[in-house]
Amino acid sequence: MSEKIIIIESLDAVGFYGVHNQHLKTIRKYFPKLQLVARGNELKVIGTYEEIDAFQEKFLQMLNYFEKFGKMNEDAIEAICGQNNSSFDKEKNLDTSIVLYGNDGLIIKPRTQNQLKLVEAIGGNDLVFAIGPAGTGKTYLAVAMAVKALKAKEVRRIILTRPAVEAGENLGFLPGDLNEKLAPYLQPLFDALRDMIPAEKLKMYNESGIIQVAPLAYMRGRTLDNAFVILDEAQNATSNQMKMFLTRMGKSAKFVVTGDITQIDLPRNQRSGLAESMKLLEKIKGIQFVQFGEKDVVRHDLVRKILNAYNKFEIIK
C-alpha cells in the first residue's frame, strides 16, 4: 500500500467537499478501493500506486472545474469520474471527451458508447445521421457540437431546423401568428441552446442571425455555407423535403440529421425522407450513420422501461 497527501491550495475546501463532506462521499463511491481522509486543505489518499495515480488525475480535473466555476455538484463529479460499472467506461476513457462547458458549469459530454460515436462521427464527417428513440441525447449532443464549432470559429453560424408536422394536433387551431404557431415545434432546440450559451449572448446571436432556428420549409432556395446545420425530427420530413435539405449544403458546412423512424407523424400516403435516406445514402463515403437504442436513453430511468414496453407491444401486434 502507498500513501499520498494532496494539498488544496487557495480553494474553499468546504465548498469543494460539500456540506457534511457530501461531495467527498460521492467521490469515494467511484474509488472504493482507496482510503480518502480529508483534513482541512489536505487530502490523504491510501491505496496502490496505480489507483492513487488514477485518482489524482481525476481529482485535479475536479479541482480545475471548481476553480473555474466556483462550485461542485453531483453531475460534475459523475461526468469527471465516470460510471465505473458501465461497459462504456471500460471500453474508453471519457476524461478527454467533454464536448462543452455550458451555463453554470454544466458539463456536456457523451454518456454512452453510441453518444461517443456520434461526437466522433460529427468530428470526422460533413454529414451525419443520428437515428434512435427519444431521450438518447441525439439532438442535445448535436447542438453542443454546433456551439463548440461556433466558439472555435470553425463555422460562422448555426442553423437549427425541424419539419412543422403535427403529432395528433392541428397547427391551424393553435393561437397566434405563424411564428407563434411554430414556436412549440422549435422549443426543444431553444432549450438546448439555453443550457449552453448565456442568455444575453444567445439573444445577440439570434438577433444577428449567427444562430437561426426555423421550420424546414424556410430552407428552400438557400445555400448554407460556413454553417453547422441540424435537421431535427427528420422522420417527419417528406422525401422531397429531405432531398431539398441535403442539397442546401454549401462550402465548409457540416450537416447533422436526427430522428426516430418509429415516431413518424406523416400522413400514411407520404414516405419518410429519413427512412428513405437510410437506404439511399448508407454507402456514400463521407456520410456516417449512428444508431441509438434503449441503452442510450439518458432521461429518467422510466423512459427506458417505457420504450421497452412499447417495443414489445409493437412486436406482439
Side-chain angles (χ1 to χ4, degrees), residues 99-112:
V99 174
L100 193 69
Y101 286 104
N103 296 331
D104 297 322
L106 175 67
I107 292 180
I108 301 168
K109 62 179 289 182
R111 297 179 182 275
T112 72

Side-chain angles (χ1 to χ4, degrees), residues 227-282:
F228 196 118
V229 188
I230 299 172
L231 171 58
D232 190 34
E233 297 290 339
Q235 74 275 5
N236 289 328
T238 65
S239 178
N240 287 337
Q241 285 177 327
M242 180 63 76
K243 180 181 177 182
M244 177 273 292
F245 171 76
L246 295 177
T247 54
R248 299 307 92 201
M249 182 181 285
K251 296 178 181 178
S252 301
K254 192 173 286 285
F255 276 38
V256 179
V257 178
T258 69
D260 177 5
I261 57 173
T262 68
Q263 297 290 328
I264 298 172
D265 298 310
L266 292 168
R268 291 184 179 275
N269 62 341
Q270 287 188 318
R271 288 181 298 175
S272 166
L274 178 61
E276 184 178 73
S277 64
M278 292 170 65
K279 297 177 182 178
L280 293 176
L281 309 178
E282 63 178 349

